[in-house]
Amino acid sequence: MSFRTIEWRDNTVIMIDQTRLPAEEGYNVYTDFQGVAEAIRGMIIRGAPAIGVAAAMGIALGARDIIADTHESFFRQLENVCDVMARTRPTAVNLFWAIARMKRVAEAHRSQKLEAIRTVLKEEAIRVEEEDREICRAIGRNGGPLIPEGATILTHCNAGALATAGYGTALGVIRAAHEAGKKIKVIADETRPWLQGARLTAWELMKDEIPVTLISDNMAGWLMQKGEIDCCVVGADRIAANGDTANKIGTYSVAVLAKEHGIPFYVAAPVSTLDLSLDSGARIPIEERGSAEVTHIQGVGIAPEGVKVRNPAFDVTPARYVSAIITERGVARQDYCESLRKLVQG
Ligand code: MRU
């Protein structure tokens, strides 16, 4: 990979600024947890696993800066740092998974000196990042074989290196198939309103010289009807116990279209994206973002001023549309209640 999505360096957190891509490959340096929280909220970093890594690193920065005479005071302030992180974005469960992991590590070292607790939190955040890259490779190894030789694959949003610590989930599957020598092609949905497909997926696939063709979101059905799509692979922000999958708005439409045309629809995600505490997708919180993302494109107004707007950032694809869920521990298929539980229990 010729770029790093997020990195811990010299006690700072460095992120590629995804709001500036593809025009500019710029990197921002964060020195405190408030800055990291703002970066998650402002989509400088986005994509479920990448958000989890950022939260872990933000908590490590926060822990480093806490001024406390006692453990009680330290842990009270650490709780506040975690709360700030938890309020950034509601849908991707990886954020809450990472926060819970950092809290567990802090608790497990409660009997140690504060300096030691700060150090283990830093080490844990770095480990979350390193593990995520390994996990994406494993998702690629498990999912790559599902992609037929010569396939044209539709993907929605960006579930690539930019959405993870590197390599990607959906794009990890695609990269693995490409690296195995399969002559594949990718169709990238532009993904209005934020344009993750046009700005990010197209950018990172072109950098890797993986053939990619950009379409606007309303073109997918027509291409399927013409027989130009062989399978769909998307990422996920939260998967309920029954396999219902929250992912970027528009994923549901792609899944319904795929079923209508008999095209396999795969979800690729790490186990940390599974939320088995929710029995169905109906309980997944869906983020609503500001109206300007819909009324404007890259700062240019495209709608009459004052028009009413809805901007749900995610939708939920019912499990019956999902052909398989590809994780680092294996591939789950219907019945998801059973197959996902088995994956989680190892
Ligand atoms: O709003 P975003 O850009 O954070 O949404 C990202 C997605 O929906 C991705 O498909 C998902 O997080 C999976 S990333 C591997």
Side-chain angles (χ1 to χ4, degrees):
M1 223 80 255
S2 61
F3 61 90
R4 286 286 287 273
T5 305
I6 180 165
E7 192 182 352
W8 180 280
R9 200 194 303 158
D10 302 331
N11 283 319
T12 65
V13 177
I14 300 173
M15 296 177 201
I16 192 166
D17 183 344
Q18 302 194 29
T19 64
R20 289 189 266 158
L21 285 170
E24 197 188 327
E25 185 177 331
Y27 293 81
N28 299 350
V29 180
Y30 297 93
T31 54
D32 57 32
F33 79 94
Q34 292 93 340
V36 172
E38 210 35 62
I40 297 172
R41 201 172 294 115
M43 310 271 286
I44 302 290
I45 189 157
R46 32 65 50 201
I51 291 172
V53 175
M57 290 188 177
I59 291 166
L61 281 182
R64 184 201 59 193
D65 293 342
I66 289 172
I67 299 168
D69 294 332
T70 63
H71 275 61
E72 285 64 36
S73 165
F74 177 85
F75 274 88
R76 207 173 38 249
Q77 294 182 64
L78 187 65
E79 193 63 36
N80 175 54
V81 170
C82 292
D83 286 350
V84 169
M85 287 298 159
R87 282 196 296 271
T88 52
R89 296 190 73 190
T91 303
V93 76
N94 309 61
L95 175 81
F96 306 98
W97 168 88
I99 294 169
R101 177 168 165 167
M102 295 297 278
K103 280 188 188 178
R104 265 199 316 276
V105 166
E107 274 306 325
H109 293 81
R110 205 180 177 108
S111 60
Q112 299 193 3
K113 292 211 169 92
L114 292 184
E115 264 332 287
I117 300 174
R118 296 183 216 273
T119 303
V120 291
L121 286 172
K122 178 184 91 175
E123 288 167 356
E124 190 69 9
I126 293 169
R127 200 170 299 123
V128 169
E129 194 265 349
E130 288 168 352
E131 279 177 16
D132 189 60
R133 270 182 285 137
E134 289 306 310
I135 286 167
C136 287
R137 291 269 170 188
I139 290 172
R141 278 195 299 279
N142 290 336
L146 296 174
I147 308 296
E149 167 60 55
T152 299
I153 307 146
L154 181 99
T155 191
H156 190 75
C157 192
N158 172 267
L162 287 164
T164 60
Y167 204 68
T169 56
L171 296 195
V173 170
I174 288 168
R175 283 195 165 94
H178 176 77
E179 285 164 13
K182 291 180 185 169
K183 300 258 173 297
I184 55 159
K185 291 189 207 125
V186 178
I187 302 282
D189 275 351
E190 68 171 347
T191 318
R192 272 285 285 154
W194 214 75
L195 302 173
Q196 286 92 334
R199 299 194 305 104
L200 309 178
T201 296
W203 180 78
E204 65 167 89
L205 289 179
M206 285 175 77
K207 247 181 180 310
D208 272 5
E209 296 182 2
I210 297 175
V212 55
T213 301
L214 177 65
I215 60 169
S216 64
D217 299 320
N218 47 4
M219 297 172 187
W222 176 242
L223 294 193
M224 289 186 191
Q225 201 182 63
K226 302 263 288 172
E228 293 185 31
I229 310 277
D230 299 301
C231 62
C232 306
V233 189
V234 300
D237 289 85
R238 197 186 291 227
I239 302 172
N242 68 346
D244 290 354
T245 297
N247 191 49
K248 180 51 54 193
I249 192 77
T251 303
Y252 172 47
S253 321
V254 172
V256 173
L257 283 166
K259 193 167 183 101
E260 167 69 16
H261 295 93
I263 297 167
F265 179 88
Y266 299 119
V267 170
V271 166
S272 56
T273 304
L274 301 178
D275 185 354
L276 301 193
S277 74
L278 303 183
D279 53 356
S280 87
R283 292 178 53 214
I284 298 175
I286 299 295
E287 177 182 15
E288 291 258 355
R289 295 185 61 86
S291 58
E293 289 181 359
V294 177
T295 56
H296 289 65
I297 296 182
Q298 305 279 276
V300 179
I302 54 156
E305 226 170 278
V307 68
K308 272 195 202 151
V309 169
R310 283 294 308 275
N311 187 14
F314 300 93
D315 58 27
V316 177
T317 299
R320 64 180 179 279
Y321 294 104
V322 179
S323 311
I325 298 175
I326 305 159
T327 76
E328 72 275 27
R329 296 199 192 154
V331 178
R333 290 184 188 268
Q334 291 281 14
D335 167 54
Y336 289 115
C337 287
E338 202 186 315
S339 57
L340 292 178
R341 190 167 33 81
K342 273 194 190 145
L343 282 184
V344 167
Q345 287 167 355

